[in-house]
Amino acid sequence: MDFGFGPDDEVFRGEARDWLSSHVDGVVDRRTWERALGADGWIGLGWQASEFGNRTATLTQQVVWAEEYARSGAPPRSGHIGENLLAPTLIAHGTEEQKARFLPPIAAGHELWCQGYSEPGAGSDLAGIRTAAVREGRSYRVTGQKIWTSLAHEADWCFVLARSEAGSVRHHGLTFLLVPMDQPGRIEVRPIRQLTGTSDFNEVFFDGAHAEHVVGAEGDGWRVAMSLLGFERGVSTLAQQIGFAEELGAVVRAAVESGAARDPVVRERLVRQWAELRTMRWHALRTLGGTAGPGAPSVAKLLWAGWHQRLGELAVLVRGAAAGVGPADWSASAPYELDAAQHLFLFSRADTIYGGSDQIQRTIIAERVLGLPREPKGAV
């Protein structure tokens, strides 16, 4: 697909750039920022339906917005799970009543969402989940535990994949539920402190939580959940790569300033990181253009996760021994400050695990794209 930007795209770029430059400096907190985006229609550009309070934009304009957003230094999005995962799923599988109820608050930045998929015993093996949903009339009682739930401490709602058919196994008997998070005594969120000292992920415990909204039919949750995962890696990967380019630039500058760039091995690694980042960009554009073929999302995940992790390793290599020194006032009971290289190194350790581990991505490519024999499974 030809991804050249035309005159209309450049007009759109100017509008996006002007809006961001006039609003970013006034950011108070992330929830207020979501509402500012929503007030001017910048949420839901890819929905291709404007009746929910959002703008519509062509694919190239969505790319423009993602690029300008990343370049502007705007804060990380709190609403991306609702905007980019749940909303397309509701548009594809939800009822008209569900679309009318949930899409406008997402577009306005008023309701934030988290994703209830992974469990302690079924992280990358989504079909092995055990969280139960028991029907009570027209609603359900949800009991179980989810883990690695991003932004659950901020979310108003959680979409939950739960086992609604007692005795069912694997991808059978699952239902896709929309669960309100404000249920004291029935939902508990426990932040997970990471190596970086921050807590972006959470454990979520459901103890008879009430849920009355089902997306798709009861027992059809696997199909809906897989459809949602298909929306997970799209235009946002290009914005991610702009952030990667900025991180790479910082590592290059540090290598030059410290003298590490005089080492031919370090220079070779820096050049390789640059070349691989360009490769990722072209792969992302082919994916958006529909010419990358099946398995493209898994290939993309393998590419960027390993790349980012290697960049973190290179960042501390360039820093030398100083990269191993922490702040003097660190204590085990409080978060601690890290410099950019240390944060990049520690956070990127998770890149090859979350969002589908490298092993899972390779299995998907091997079995579903290359047609290789499936790995033998243990008895269920």
Side-chain angles (χ1 to χ4, degrees), residues 200-234:
D200 301 303
F201 306 122
N202 304 268
E203 294 177 282
V204 181
F205 296 85
F206 299 95
D207 185 9
H210 177 76
E212 62 182 38
H213 298 281
V214 176
V215 180
E218 179 179 301
D220 195 32
W222 183 258
R223 183 177 67 91
V224 177
M226 291 301 100
S227 175
L228 181 142
L229 291 178
F231 299 120
E232 190 167 12
R233 299 173 187 123

PDB file of all heavy atoms in Angstrom, residues 200-234:
ATOM      1  N   ASP A 200       2.043   0.013  37.391  1.00  0.00           N
ATOM      2  CA  ASP A 200       1.114   0.150  36.273  1.00  0.00           C
ATOM      3  C   ASP A 200       0.201  -1.058  36.149  1.00  0.00           C
ATOM      4  O   ASP A 200      -0.878  -0.969  35.562  1.00  0.00           O
ATOM      5  CB  ASP A 200       1.894   0.321  34.962  1.00  0.00           C
ATOM      6  CG  ASP A 200       2.793   1.546  34.990  1.00  0.00           C
ATOM      7  OD1 ASP A 200       2.263   2.638  35.208  1.00  0.00           O
ATOM      8  OD2 ASP A 200       4.012   1.399  34.808  1.00  0.00           O
ATOM      9  N   PHE A 201       0.653  -2.204  36.668  1.00  0.00           N
ATOM     10  CA  PHE A 201      -0.120  -3.443  36.607  1.00  0.00           C
ATOM     11  C   PHE A 201      -0.753  -3.719  37.964  1.00  0.00           C
ATOM     12  O   PHE A 201      -0.310  -3.208  38.991  1.00  0.00           O
ATOM     13  CB  PHE A 201       0.771  -4.632  36.227  1.00  0.00           C
ATOM     14  CG  PHE A 201       1.551  -4.427  34.967  1.00  0.00           C
ATOM     15  CD1 PHE A 201       2.935  -4.515  34.978  1.00  0.00           C
ATOM     16  CD2 PHE A 201       0.922  -4.158  33.767  1.00  0.00           C
ATOM     17  CE1 PHE A 201       3.664  -4.341  33.818  1.00  0.00           C
ATOM     18  CE2 PHE A 201       1.641  -3.984  32.608  1.00  0.00           C
ATOM     19  CZ  PHE A 201       3.027  -4.073  32.627  1.00  0.00           C
ATOM     20  N   ASN A 202      -1.784  -4.569  37.955  1.00  0.00           N
ATOM     21  CA  ASN A 202      -2.512  -4.851  39.190  1.00  0.00           C
ATOM     22  C   ASN A 202      -3.001  -6.286  39.222  1.00  0.00           C
ATOM     23  O   ASN A 202      -3.185  -6.923  38.182  1.00  0.00           O
ATOM     24  CB  ASN A 202      -3.744  -3.938  39.298  1.00  0.00           C
ATOM     25  CG  ASN A 202      -3.410  -2.472  39.220  1.00  0.00           C
ATOM     26  OD1 ASN A 202      -3.194  -1.814  40.225  1.00  0.00           O
ATOM     27  ND2 ASN A 202      -3.368  -1.933  38.004  1.00  0.00           N
ATOM     28  N   GLU A 203      -3.234  -6.762  40.435  1.00  0.00           N
ATOM     29  CA  GLU A 203      -4.055  -7.949  40.650  1.00  0.00           C
ATOM     30  C   GLU A 203      -5.488  -7.466  40.871  1.00  0.00           C
ATOM     31  O   GLU A 203      -5.710  -6.451  41.540  1.00  0.00           O
ATOM     32  CB  GLU A 203      -3.605  -8.716  41.882  1.00  0.00           C
ATOM     33  CG  GLU A 203      -2.233  -9.329  41.803  1.00  0.00           C
ATOM     34  CD  GLU A 203      -1.870 -10.008  43.111  1.00  0.00           C
ATOM     35  OE1 GLU A 203      -1.504  -9.298  44.065  1.00  0.00           O
ATOM     36  OE2 GLU A 203      -1.959 -11.247  43.193  1.00  0.00           O
ATOM     37  N   VAL A 204      -6.450  -8.189  40.339  1.00  0.00           N
ATOM     38  CA  VAL A 204      -7.855  -7.841  40.559  1.00  0.00           C
ATOM     39  C   VAL A 204      -8.574  -9.082  41.056  1.00  0.00           C
ATOM     40  O   VAL A 204      -8.530 -10.139  40.415  1.00  0.00           O
ATOM     41  CB  VAL A 204      -8.527  -7.321  39.274  1.00  0.00           C
ATOM     42  CG1 VAL A 204      -9.973  -6.938  39.559  1.00  0.00           C
ATOM     43  CG2 VAL A 204      -7.770  -6.116  38.719  1.00  0.00           C
ATOM     44  N   PHE A 205      -9.249  -8.952  42.196  1.00  0.00           N
ATOM     45  CA  PHE A 205      -9.980 -10.066  42.804  1.00  0.00           C
ATOM     46  C   PHE A 205     -11.476  -9.790  42.709  1.00  0.00           C
ATOM     47  O   PHE A 205     -11.962  -8.745  43.162  1.00  0.00           O
ATOM     48  CB  PHE A 205      -9.575 -10.235  44.271  1.00  0.00           C
ATOM     49  CG  PHE A 205      -8.131 -10.613  44.457  1.00  0.00           C
ATOM     50  CD1 PHE A 205      -7.151  -9.636  44.500  1.00  0.00           C
ATOM     51  CD2 PHE A 205      -7.763 -11.942  44.571  1.00  0.00           C
ATOM     52  CE1 PHE A 205      -5.813  -9.978  44.664  1.00  0.00           C
ATOM     53  CE2 PHE A 205      -6.431 -12.297  44.740  1.00  0.00           C
ATOM     54  CZ  PHE A 205      -5.449 -11.307  44.785  1.00  0.00           C
ATOM     55  N   PHE A 206     -12.211 -10.716  42.106  1.00  0.00           N
ATOM     56  CA  PHE A 206     -13.663 -10.620  41.983  1.00  0.00           C
ATOM     57  C   PHE A 206     -14.295 -11.594  42.967  1.00  0.00           C
ATOM     58  O   PHE A 206     -14.004 -12.795  42.934  1.00  0.00           O
ATOM     59  CB  PHE A 206     -14.109 -10.978  40.558  1.00  0.00           C
ATOM     60  CG  PHE A 206     -13.552 -10.067  39.492  1.00  0.00           C
ATOM     61  CD1 PHE A 206     -12.392 -10.412  38.815  1.00  0.00           C
ATOM     62  CD2 PHE A 206     -14.184  -8.881  39.172  1.00  0.00           C
ATOM     63  CE1 PHE A 206     -11.876  -9.593  37.826  1.00  0.00           C
ATOM     64  CE2 PHE A 206     -13.680  -8.047  38.182  1.00  0.00           C
ATOM     65  CZ  PHE A 206     -12.518  -8.402  37.503  1.00  0.00           C
ATOM     66  N   ASP A 207     -15.159 -11.078  43.818  1.00  0.00           N
ATOM     67  CA  ASP A 207     -15.822 -11.909  44.820  1.00  0.00           C
ATOM     68  C   ASP A 207     -17.332 -11.726  44.673  1.00  0.00           C
ATOM     69  O   ASP A 207     -17.975 -10.985  45.417  1.00  0.00           O
ATOM     70  CB  ASP A 207     -15.366 -11.507  46.227  1.00  0.00           C
ATOM     71  CG  ASP A 207     -15.931 -12.424  47.311  1.00  0.00           C
ATOM     72  OD1 ASP A 207     -16.533 -13.466  46.960  1.00  0.00           O
ATOM     73  OD2 ASP A 207     -15.780 -12.103  48.502  1.00  0.00           O
ATOM     74  N   GLY A 208     -17.888 -12.407  43.673  1.00  0.00           N
ATOM     75  CA  GLY A 208     -19.307 -12.265  43.405  1.00  0.00           C
ATOM     76  C   GLY A 208     -19.669 -10.924  42.794  1.00  0.00           C
ATOM     77  O   GLY A 208     -20.760 -10.397  43.025  1.00  0.00           O
ATOM     78  N   ALA A 209     -18.756 -10.371  41.973  1.00  0.00           N
ATOM     79  CA  ALA A 209     -19.015  -9.078  41.350  1.00  0.00           C
ATOM     80  C   ALA A 209     -20.181  -9.180  40.372  1.00  0.00           C
ATOM     81  O   ALA A 209     -20.352 -10.181  39.672  1.00  0.00           O
ATOM     82  CB  ALA A 209     -17.764  -8.579  40.639  1.00  0.00           C
ATOM     83  N   HIS A 210     -20.967  -8.124  40.318  1.00  0.00           N
ATOM     84  CA  HIS A 210     -22.162  -8.104  39.460  1.00  0.00           C
ATOM     85  C   HIS A 210     -21.793  -7.683  38.043  1.00  0.00           C
ATOM     86  O   HIS A 210     -21.017  -6.749  37.830  1.00  0.00           O
ATOM     87  CB  HIS A 210     -23.184  -7.127  40.041  1.00  0.00           C
ATOM     88  CG  HIS A 210     -24.421  -6.974  39.222  1.00  0.00           C
ATOM     89  ND1 HIS A 210     -25.417  -7.923  39.188  1.00  0.00           N
ATOM     90  CD2 HIS A 210     -24.822  -5.982  38.391  1.00  0.00           C
ATOM     91  CE1 HIS A 210     -26.391  -7.516  38.391  1.00  0.00           C
ATOM     92  NE2 HIS A 210     -26.054  -6.341  37.888  1.00  0.00           N
ATOM     93  N   ALA A 211     -22.347  -8.384  37.054  1.00  0.00           N
ATOM     94  CA  ALA A 211     -22.156  -8.024  35.644  1.00  0.00           C
ATOM     95  C   ALA A 211     -23.444  -8.327  34.890  1.00  0.00           C
ATOM     96  O   ALA A 211     -23.975  -9.432  34.982  1.00  0.00           O
ATOM     97  CB  ALA A 211     -21.000  -8.821  35.043  1.00  0.00           C
ATOM     98  N   GLU A 212     -23.925  -7.347  34.146  1.00  0.00           N
ATOM     99  CA  GLU A 212     -25.186  -7.573  33.420  1.00  0.00           C
ATOM    100  C   GLU A 212     -25.044  -7.409  31.914  1.00  0.00           C
ATOM    101  O   GLU A 212     -25.992  -7.678  31.173  1.00  0.00           O
ATOM    102  CB  GLU A 212     -26.265  -6.617  33.931  1.00  0.00           C
ATOM    103  CG  GLU A 212     -25.957  -5.148  33.722  1.00  0.00           C
ATOM    104  CD  GLU A 212     -27.053  -4.247  34.291  1.00  0.00           C
ATOM    105  OE1 GLU A 212     -27.597  -4.575  35.354  1.00  0.00           O
ATOM    106  OE2 GLU A 212     -27.349  -3.229  33.640  1.00  0.00           O
ATOM    107  N   HIS A 213     -23.873  -6.985  31.447  1.00  0.00           N
ATOM    108  CA  HIS A 213     -23.679  -6.770  30.012  1.00  0.00           C
ATOM    109  C   HIS A 213     -22.818  -7.883  29.412  1.00  0.00           C
ATOM    110  O   HIS A 213     -21.680  -8.089  29.830  1.00  0.00           O
ATOM    111  CB  HIS A 213     -23.008  -5.421  29.762  1.00  0.00           C
ATOM    112  CG  HIS A 213     -23.822  -4.250  30.236  1.00  0.00           C
ATOM    113  ND1 HIS A 213     -24.887  -3.758  29.520  1.00  0.00           N
ATOM    114  CD2 HIS A 213     -23.720  -3.488  31.356  1.00  0.00           C
ATOM    115  CE1 HIS A 213     -25.410  -2.734  30.175  1.00  0.00           C
ATOM    116  NE2 HIS A 213     -24.721  -2.539  31.284  1.00  0.00           N
ATOM    117  N   VAL A 214     -23.360  -8.581  28.423  1.00  0.00           N
ATOM    118  CA  VAL A 214     -22.643  -9.631  27.692  1.00  0.00           C
ATOM    119  C   VAL A 214     -22.450  -9.161  26.256  1.00  0.00           C
ATOM    120  O   VAL A 214     -23.411  -8.752  25.596  1.00  0.00           O
ATOM    121  CB  VAL A 214     -23.437 -10.964  27.694  1.00  0.00           C
ATOM    122  CG1 VAL A 214     -22.719 -12.010  26.843  1.00  0.00           C
ATOM    123  CG2 VAL A 214     -23.632 -11.455  29.114  1.00  0.00           C
ATOM    124  N   VAL A 215     -21.206  -9.218  25.782  1.00  0.00           N
ATOM    125  CA  VAL A 215     -20.923  -8.879  24.384  1.00  0.00           C
ATOM    126  C   VAL A 215     -20.895 -10.181  23.591  1.00  0.00           C
ATOM    127  O   VAL A 215     -20.142 -11.103  23.916  1.00  0.00           O
ATOM    128  CB  VAL A 215     -19.579  -8.136  24.241  1.00  0.00           C
ATOM    129  CG1 VAL A 215     -19.319  -7.795  22.766  1.00  0.00           C
ATOM    130  CG2 VAL A 215     -19.597  -6.860  25.076  1.00  0.00           C
ATOM    131  N   GLY A 216     -21.712 -10.266  22.549  1.00  0.00           N
ATOM    132  CA  GLY A 216     -21.888 -11.540  21.870  1.00  0.00           C
ATOM    133  C   GLY A 216     -22.847 -12.386  22.686  1.00  0.00           C
ATOM    134  O   GLY A 216     -23.552 -11.907  23.567  1.00  0.00           O
ATOM    135  N   ALA A 217     -22.847 -13.660  22.420  1.00  0.00           N
ATOM    136  CA  ALA A 217     -23.741 -14.564  23.131  1.00  0.00           C
ATOM    137  C   ALA A 217     -23.030 -15.238  24.293  1.00  0.00           C
ATOM    138  O   ALA A 217     -21.794 -15.304  24.340  1.00  0.00           O
ATOM    139  CB  ALA A 217     -24.267 -15.629  22.166  1.00  0.00           C
ATOM    140  N   GLU A 218     -23.810 -15.742  25.242  1.00  0.00           N
ATOM    141  CA  GLU A 218     -23.226 -16.546  26.313  1.00  0.00           C
ATOM    142  C   GLU A 218     -22.541 -17.757  25.699  1.00  0.00           C
ATOM    143  O   GLU A 218     -23.088 -18.434  24.826  1.00  0.00           O
ATOM    144  CB  GLU A 218     -24.310 -17.003  27.290  1.00  0.00           C
ATOM    145  CG  GLU A 218     -23.783 -17.859  28.425  1.00  0.00           C
ATOM    146  CD  GLU A 218     -24.877 -18.291  29.393  1.00  0.00           C
ATOM    147  OE1 GLU A 218     -25.538 -17.407  29.975  1.00  0.00           O
ATOM    148  OE2 GLU A 218     -25.071 -19.521  29.544  1.00  0.00           O
ATOM    149  N   GLY A 219     -21.309 -18.040  26.142  1.00  0.00           N
ATOM    150  CA  GLY A 219     -20.539 -19.152  25.618  1.00  0.00           C
ATOM    151  C   GLY A 219     -19.753 -18.830  24.364  1.00  0.00           C
ATOM    152  O   GLY A 219     -18.981 -19.650  23.866  1.00  0.00           O
ATOM    153  N   ASP A 220     -19.925 -17.597  23.831  1.00  0.00           N
ATOM    154  CA  ASP A 220     -19.241 -17.191  22.603  1.00  0.00           C
ATOM    155  C   ASP A 220     -18.071 -16.253  22.908  1.00  0.00           C
ATOM    156  O   ASP A 220     -17.577 -15.542  22.037  1.00  0.00           O
ATOM    157  CB  ASP A 220     -20.232 -16.487  21.670  1.00  0.00           C
ATOM    158  CG  ASP A 220     -19.712 -16.368  20.245  1.00  0.00           C
ATOM    159  OD1 ASP A 220     -18.960 -17.262  19.813  1.00  0.00           O
ATOM    160  OD2 ASP A 220     -20.058 -15.387  19.567  1.00  0.00           O
ATOM    161  N   GLY A 221     -17.609 -16.281  24.143  1.00  0.00           N
ATOM    162  CA  GLY A 221     -16.592 -15.335  24.577  1.00  0.00           C
ATOM    163  C   GLY A 221     -15.253 -15.480  23.880  1.00  0.00           C
ATOM    164  O   GLY A 221     -14.540 -14.491  23.674  1.00  0.00           O
ATOM    165  N   TRP A 222     -14.908 -16.728  23.515  1.00  0.00           N
ATOM    166  CA  TRP A 222     -13.609 -16.930  22.872  1.00  0.00           C
ATOM    167  C   TRP A 222     -13.542 -16.194  21.530  1.00  0.00           C
ATOM    168  O   TRP A 222     -12.553 -15.536  21.230  1.00  0.00           O
ATOM    169  CB  TRP A 222     -13.349 -18.421  22.670  1.00  0.00           C
ATOM    170  CG  TRP A 222     -11.999 -18.696  22.074  1.00  0.00           C
ATOM    171  CD1 TRP A 222     -11.720 -19.014  20.775  1.00  0.00           C
ATOM    172  CD2 TRP A 222     -10.734 -18.666  22.742  1.00  0.00           C
ATOM    173  NE1 TRP A 222     -10.359 -19.180  20.605  1.00  0.00           N
ATOM    174  CE2 TRP A 222      -9.740 -18.980  21.789  1.00  0.00           C
ATOM    175  CE3 TRP A 222     -10.345 -18.410  24.057  1.00  0.00           C
ATOM    176  CZ2 TRP A 222      -8.389 -19.035  22.117  1.00  0.00           C
ATOM    177  CZ3 TRP A 222      -9.002 -18.461  24.389  1.00  0.00           C
ATOM    178  CH2 TRP A 222      -8.041 -18.769  23.419  1.00  0.00           C
ATOM    179  N   ARG A 223     -14.593 -16.283  20.759  1.00  0.00           N
ATOM    180  CA  ARG A 223     -14.604 -15.615  19.458  1.00  0.00           C
ATOM    181  C   ARG A 223     -14.501 -14.100  19.623  1.00  0.00           C
ATOM    182  O   ARG A 223     -13.747 -13.428  18.908  1.00  0.00           O
ATOM    183  CB  ARG A 223     -15.881 -15.969  18.691  1.00  0.00           C
ATOM    184  CG  ARG A 223     -15.953 -15.382  17.280  1.00  0.00           C
ATOM    185  CD  ARG A 223     -17.216 -15.852  16.565  1.00  0.00           C
ATOM    186  NE  ARG A 223     -18.413 -15.309  17.185  1.00  0.00           N
ATOM    187  CZ  ARG A 223     -18.982 -14.153  16.826  1.00  0.00           C
ATOM    188  NH1 ARG A 223     -18.451 -13.439  15.842  1.00  0.00           N
ATOM    189  NH2 ARG A 223     -20.080 -13.737  17.417  1.00  0.00           N
ATOM    190  N   VAL A 224     -15.246 -13.557  20.588  1.00  0.00           N
ATOM    191  CA  VAL A 224     -15.206 -12.113  20.824  1.00  0.00           C
ATOM    192  C   VAL A 224     -13.829 -11.698  21.331  1.00  0.00           C
ATOM    193  O   VAL A 224     -13.261 -10.685  20.899  1.00  0.00           O
ATOM    194  CB  VAL A 224     -16.304 -11.706  21.829  1.00  0.00           C
ATOM    195  CG1 VAL A 224     -16.226 -10.213  22.132  1.00  0.00           C
ATOM    196  CG2 VAL A 224     -17.684 -12.069  21.289  1.00  0.00           C
ATOM    197  N   ALA A 225     -13.256 -12.504  22.245  1.00  0.00           N
ATOM    198  CA  ALA A 225     -11.941 -12.174  22.804  1.00  0.00           C
ATOM    199  C   ALA A 225     -10.864 -12.193  21.739  1.00  0.00           C
ATOM    200  O   ALA A 225      -9.958 -11.342  21.734  1.00  0.00           O
ATOM    201  CB  ALA A 225     -11.589 -13.161  23.922  1.00  0.00           C
ATOM    202  N   MET A 226     -10.926 -13.150  20.817  1.00  0.00           N
ATOM    203  CA  MET A 226      -9.931 -13.220  19.746  1.00  0.00           C
ATOM    204  C   MET A 226     -10.102 -12.051  18.776  1.00  0.00           C
ATOM    205  O   MET A 226      -9.121 -11.508  18.257  1.00  0.00           O
ATOM    206  CB  MET A 226     -10.066 -14.545  18.987  1.00  0.00           C
ATOM    207  CG  MET A 226      -9.658 -15.778  19.800  1.00  0.00           C
ATOM    208  SD  MET A 226      -7.920 -15.718  20.376  1.00  0.00           S
ATOM    209  CE  MET A 226      -8.150 -15.169  22.103  1.00  0.00           C
ATOM    210  N   SER A 227     -11.340 -11.653  18.552  1.00  0.00           N
ATOM    211  CA  SER A 227     -11.587 -10.492  17.703  1.00  0.00           C
ATOM    212  C   SER A 227     -10.962  -9.249  18.310  1.00  0.00           C
ATOM    213  O   SER A 227     -10.328  -8.443  17.617  1.00  0.00           O
ATOM    214  CB  SER A 227     -13.094 -10.294  17.514  1.00  0.00           C
ATOM    215  OG  SER A 227     -13.370  -9.120  16.791  1.00  0.00           O
ATOM    216  N   LEU A 228     -11.106  -9.101  19.616  1.00  0.00           N
ATOM    217  CA  LEU A 228     -10.512  -7.940  20.299  1.00  0.00           C
ATOM    218  C   LEU A 228      -8.994  -7.931  20.157  1.00  0.00           C
ATOM    219  O   LEU A 228      -8.391  -6.881  19.905  1.00  0.00           O
ATOM    220  CB  LEU A 228     -10.919  -7.953  21.771  1.00  0.00           C
ATOM    221  CG  LEU A 228     -10.404  -6.786  22.622  1.00  0.00           C
ATOM    222  CD1 LEU A 228     -11.450  -6.346  23.629  1.00  0.00           C
ATOM    223  CD2 LEU A 228      -9.107  -7.138  23.351  1.00  0.00           C
ATOM    224  N   LEU A 229      -8.366  -9.083  20.307  1.00  0.00           N
ATOM    225  CA  LEU A 229      -6.909  -9.135  20.193  1.00  0.00           C
ATOM    226  C   LEU A 229      -6.443  -8.729  18.802  1.00  0.00           C
ATOM    227  O   LEU A 229      -5.325  -8.241  18.633  1.00  0.00           O
ATOM    228  CB  LEU A 229      -6.409 -10.536  20.534  1.00  0.00           C
ATOM    229  CG  LEU A 229      -6.540 -10.952  22.006  1.00  0.00           C
ATOM    230  CD1 LEU A 229      -6.061 -12.381  22.196  1.00  0.00           C
ATOM    231  CD2 LEU A 229      -5.778 -10.009  22.919  1.00  0.00           C
ATOM    232  N   GLY A 230      -7.299  -8.921  17.813  1.00  0.00           N
ATOM    233  CA  GLY A 230      -6.937  -8.504  16.465  1.00  0.00           C
ATOM    234  C   GLY A 230      -6.848  -7.000  16.313  1.00  0.00           C
ATOM    235  O   GLY A 230      -6.211  -6.494  15.385  1.00  0.00           O
ATOM    236  N   PHE A 231      -7.500  -6.253  17.233  1.00  0.00           N
ATOM    237  CA  PHE A 231      -7.437  -4.788  17.185  1.00  0.00           C
ATOM    238  C   PHE A 231      -6.258  -4.240  17.974  1.00  0.00           C
ATOM    239  O   PHE A 231      -5.994  -3.037  17.951  1.00  0.00           O
ATOM    240  CB  PHE A 231      -8.722  -4.176  17.775  1.00  0.00           C
ATOM    241  CG  PHE A 231      -9.974  -4.567  17.046  1.00  0.00           C
ATOM    242  CD1 PHE A 231     -10.994  -5.230  17.697  1.00  0.00           C
ATOM    243  CD2 PHE A 231     -10.130  -4.257  15.704  1.00  0.00           C
ATOM    244  CE1 PHE A 231     -12.163  -5.575  17.035  1.00  0.00           C
ATOM    245  CE2 PHE A 231     -11.289  -4.607  15.028  1.00  0.00           C
ATOM    246  CZ  PHE A 231     -12.317  -5.264  15.697  1.00  0.00           C
ATOM    247  N   GLU A 232      -5.507  -5.131  18.670  1.00  0.00           N
ATOM    248  CA  GLU A 232      -4.558  -4.661  19.676  1.00  0.00           C
ATOM    249  C   GLU A 232      -3.348  -3.964  19.082  1.00  0.00           C
ATOM    250  O   GLU A 232      -2.762  -3.103  19.716  1.00  0.00           O
ATOM    251  CB  GLU A 232      -4.109  -5.839  20.548  1.00  0.00           C
ATOM    252  CG  GLU A 232      -3.316  -5.425  21.767  1.00  0.00           C
ATOM    253  CD  GLU A 232      -3.162  -6.559  22.771  1.00  0.00           C
ATOM    254  OE1 GLU A 232      -3.470  -7.715  22.441  1.00  0.00           O
ATOM    255  OE2 GLU A 232      -2.716  -6.274  23.899  1.00  0.00           O
ATOM    256  N   ARG A 233      -2.942  -4.366  17.881  1.00  0.00           N
ATOM    257  CA  ARG A 233      -1.722  -3.786  17.311  1.00  0.00           C
ATOM    258  C   ARG A 233      -2.050  -3.159  15.965  1.00  0.00           C
ATOM    259  O   ARG A 233      -2.183  -3.844  14.968  1.00  0.00           O
ATOM    260  CB  ARG A 233      -0.651  -4.864  17.162  1.00  0.00           C
ATOM    261  CG  ARG A 233      -0.285  -5.456  18.512  1.00  0.00           C
ATOM    262  CD  ARG A 233       0.637  -6.647  18.423  1.00  0.00           C
ATOM    263  NE  ARG A 233       0.780  -7.223  19.761  1.00  0.00           N
ATOM    264  CZ  ARG A 233       0.506  -8.470  20.080  1.00  0.00           C
ATOM    265  NH1 ARG A 233       0.098  -9.291  19.156  1.00  0.00           N
ATOM    266  NH2 ARG A 233       0.656  -8.895  21.308  1.00  0.00           N
ATOM    267  N   GLY A 234      -2.211  -1.850  15.966  1.00  0.00           N
ATOM    268  CA  GLY A 234      -2.573  -1.151  14.742  1.00  0.00           C
ATOM    269  C   GLY A 234      -1.773   0.116  14.584  1.00  0.00           C
ATOM    270  O   GLY A 234      -0.549   0.121  14.654  1.00  0.00           O
TER     271      GLY A 234
END
